[in-house]
Amino acid sequence: MLDIQKIRADFPILTQKVNGKPLVYFDNGATSQKPQIVIDAEVKYYQEINANIHRGVHTLSQLATDAYEISRGKVKDHINAKFAHEVLFTSGTTFGINLVANGFASILKPGDEVIVSSLEHHSNIVPWQMLCEKTGAILKVIPINENGELIIEAFDALLSEKTKIVTVNHISNALGIINPIKYIIDKAHAVGAAVLIDGAQAVPHLKPDVQELDCDFYAFSGHKMCGPTGTGILYGKEEWLNKLPPYQGGGEMIKEVTFEKTTYADLPHKFEAGTPNIAGGIVLGTAVDYLNNIGFENIQHYENELLEYATKRLLEIEGLKIYGTGKNKASVVSFNIDGIHPYDIGSIIDKLGIAVRTGHHCAQPIMNFFCIPGTIRASFSFYNTKEEIDQMVEAVKKAQTMLS
Ligand code: C6P
């Protein structure tokens, strides 16, 4: 059992008033709030050990380097990677996916195939379209059903020896559907394809085990899991990271530079050109510790309760339709109300202190599938409460009355 009031006290922002009302923050899918321990760690870094890493022999540089590498080790343990050098620091999921898509430009030939799904965030569509344009490869798309679930037989039918990479999200940001990624990974491997999992929406809710999943790449963002913005991780299997070319050239990613030829540094530095977000990388480790102290089993259990409660309460509202009704879901409810634009509901309930996301959620193909301009998305975290859900339901009812 989680002591939610004690947990809430860790998050200073949650005591704020917005538009004169207590903040109800249900936009966790966009970014999570940060506990004091994470905020303090960021300040402490700048107050005590700020220096560039992997470059200086001086004490501060070594302290900063050690802290950065300790954090990499924490992430390695957290996702159960085999080696710390398989864990690359990035600026976020988007960067990680682009790094891989860019690398595959040196592997794909015209006529090769890349499989994405209809449930993807634009970050896991556009880089692959760009790759296909560059290489002459063909983009294939796994369709979804009315519940927002991938049609898995259609995926099976798309696979062939032409498939070179399959890239799907672990959890859909727009609908909250959890995808059967283990099945997808095993099936893709059976035809020799690599698999990238976009874990952006999964890492706040669960602890991925990359060895058990056997995925080739797993990308995620730090800011959705209580860490700072501008941080992220790309996990890649050693053999794949050795095969892919560097994404960016610059300092720290080289062994030797002459005007005739440059040789590249070993992993992970080959993919970490330039001065990174050092404070952010270090503090991401603090966020991982914080979440593990709460415990992902506890988080999942409690968030499932919130999901069930919110679904039940919202469905009491006449004319309300939920999108993403598949069984396997994270704590996200995406909905619309008959005849009312999602933006109008979002704006009115914001005046009542409730923060939700409205719009297409950077997943336009999903909205096109359901023939809607967007949805209202309430995405819950372990620091939210049923009382806050009640407040949202009352606010949505009020907005409905005002707008109809
Ligand atoms: N989704 C949302 O409100 P970045 O911006 O690089 O940290 O993450 C991109 C990204 C990639 N994949 C998925 C599944 C995502 O949900 C996101 C970010 C936020 O849904 C902001 S658009």
Side-chain angles (χ1 to χ4, degrees), residues 29-30 92-94 121 123 173 198 200-201 221 223-224 357 362 377:
T93 311
T94 305
H121 185 279
S123 290
N173 71 313
D198 169 354
Q201 293 293 337
S221 303
H223 69 93
K224 294 189 200 285
R357 185 169 173 191
C362 302
R377 183 188 70 178

Side-chain angles (χ1 to χ4, degrees), residues 95-331:
F95 188 101
I97 295 171
N98 275 278
L99 184 156
V100 178
N102 185 74
F104 266 73
S106 65
I107 293 174
L108 296 195
K109 311 240 167 352
D112 283 345
E113 292 178 358
V114 174
I115 298 182
V116 299
S117 94
S118 303
L119 273 188
E120 300 313 308
H121 185 279
H122 298 163
S123 290
N124 202 24
I125 298 173
V126 184
W128 305 105
Q129 282 176 322
M130 290 162 68
L131 170 69
C132 289
E133 270 170 29
K134 214 184 288 180
T135 59
I138 297 158
L139 195 72
K140 299 272 173 174
V141 185
I142 312 168
I144 51 174
N145 63 25
E146 281 295 322
N147 299 326
E149 298 163 309
L150 296 182
I151 302 175
I152 221 65
E153 307 78 49
F155 165 65
D156 291 342
L158 286 177
L159 281 172
S160 74
E161 75 287 350
K162 289 191 204 151
T163 314
K164 293 297 175 260
I165 184 159
V166 176
T167 174
V168 292
N169 60 40
H170 197 161
I171 297 180
S172 151
N173 71 313
L175 306 181
I177 295 290
I178 304 175
N179 287 319
I181 57 167
K182 182 62 187 150
Y183 178 90
I184 290 171
I185 292 164
D186 291 346
K187 279 285 194 160
H189 283 169
V191 298
V195 182
L196 181 144
I197 302 297
D198 169 354
Q201 293 293 337
V203 289
H205 307 294
L206 54 84
K207 196 172 158 133
D209 182 330
V210 293
Q211 288 192 76
E212 193 187 312
L213 287 171
D214 196 28
C215 54
D216 301 287
F217 304 98
Y218 194 100
F220 59 97
S221 303
H223 69 93
K224 294 189 200 285
M225 55 184 305
C226 296
T229 50
T231 63
I233 296 291
L234 175 69
Y235 159 80
K237 275 185 190 160
E238 182 187 57
E239 58 189 288
W240 269 112
L241 294 180
N242 279 330
K243 209 180 290 180
L244 296 187
Y247 183 38
Q248 294 182 329
E252 280 309 300
M253 52 74 71
I254 55 91
K255 255 192 194 129
E256 292 237 3
V257 178
T258 65
F259 283 111
E260 288 68 44
K261 187 173 168 57
T262 291
T263 52
Y264 304 128
D266 293 332
L267 297 174
H269 308 294
K270 171 181 153 189
F271 290 104
E272 294 183 350
T275 301
N277 179 355
I278 301 168
I282 293 170
V283 176
L284 179 54
T286 311
V288 166
D289 285 344
Y290 178 79
L291 289 172
N292 280 314
N293 282 338
I294 293 176
F296 277 89
E297 271 185 29
N298 295 330
I299 289 175
Q300 266 175 295
H301 185 263
Y302 180 66
E303 288 180 346
N304 274 339
E305 267 181 34
L306 292 181
L307 173 67
E308 269 178 38
Y309 186 71
T311 306
K312 180 173 127 305
R313 291 275 0 246
L314 283 167
L315 286 174
E316 288 167 11
I317 298 174
E318 215 173 295
L320 186 143
K321 178 174 173 171
I322 292 178
Y323 299 89
T325 47
K327 260 197 223 109
N328 215 1
K329 268 188 78 170
S331 51

